[in-house]
Amino acid sequence: MEYNSSRLDSSEALMSVDLRRAPRHSCRVPAQVRVRGKSYPGFIVDVSETGVRVVGDQLKNISTGDRIELFSEDLGWMTGGVRWQYRGTLGLKLEESSNTRAKFEAFRRNFATA
C-alpha cells in the first residue's frame, strides 16, 4: 500500500508527525484519569519521561488543553495537560519534575516492553 498524506484529515496528519522529545516505551497499564472532578478508567499504552498515551472508551469528551490527574498502581499520581485527543486516545504532557523522572525510570526498568 502506498502512503498518501492527502487522505489524512488534519488530526490524523498531526498524529503522523513525531514531535516527541523523549523515547516512548510500550506498555498496557490500567489507570484512572481525573479531569473536572470526574474519574474515568483507561490504559496507559506508552510512556516516556515527558508524557504518556492513554486510551479508554470514556475519554472521548476530554479536550485538548484540559489539566488532568493520572493514577496507576505502578506509577502513582501524576499531573499534566492534554496535548491532543483523538477518538478516546489522549496524548498527555506530564508536568516535569525529578519525581516524575524517577517514577518513569523505575517503571521503564520494571514494566515497559520496548
Side-chain angles (χ1 to χ4, degrees):
M1 175 189 278
E2 186 176 319
Y3 175 74
N4 182 348
S5 63
S6 66
R7 292 186 180 175
L8 300 177
D9 68 25
S10 61
S11 60
E12 290 172 320
L14 289 174
M15 290 173 59
S16 68
V17 176
D18 190 350
L19 301 174
R20 299 174 289 208
R21 292 185 309 163
R24 295 284 169 153
H25 301 277
S26 296
C27 59
R28 185 159 176 85
V29 177
Q32 289 292 313
V33 176
R34 191 161 49 190
V35 61
R36 297 184 302 269
K38 295 185 179 180
S39 190
Y40 304 95
F43 287 92
I44 298 170
V45 295
D46 71 36
V47 62
S48 78
E49 64 183 82
T50 59
V52 297
R53 183 166 45 115
V54 182
V55 299
D57 292 337
Q58 297 179 26
L59 304 179
K60 294 174 184 168
N61 293 325
I62 296 174
S63 301
T64 299
D66 280 345
R67 185 176 185 286
I68 57 92
E69 295 175 303
L70 180 68
F71 177 78
S72 82
E73 293 284 330
D74 298 317
L75 290 165
W77 284 103
M78 297 174 288
T79 57
V82 178
R83 296 292 296 219
W84 58 266
Q85 184 277 122
Y86 185 72
R87 297 183 182 170
T89 301
L90 306 175
L92 307 177
K93 182 178 189 292
L94 300 175
E95 291 180 359
E96 294 185 43
S97 70
S98 57
N99 186 38
T100 299
R101 283 188 295 279
K103 287 178 182 182
F104 163 75
E105 285 301 321
F107 178 83
R108 185 183 57 79
R109 283 192 305 273
N110 295 309
F111 300 102
T113 60

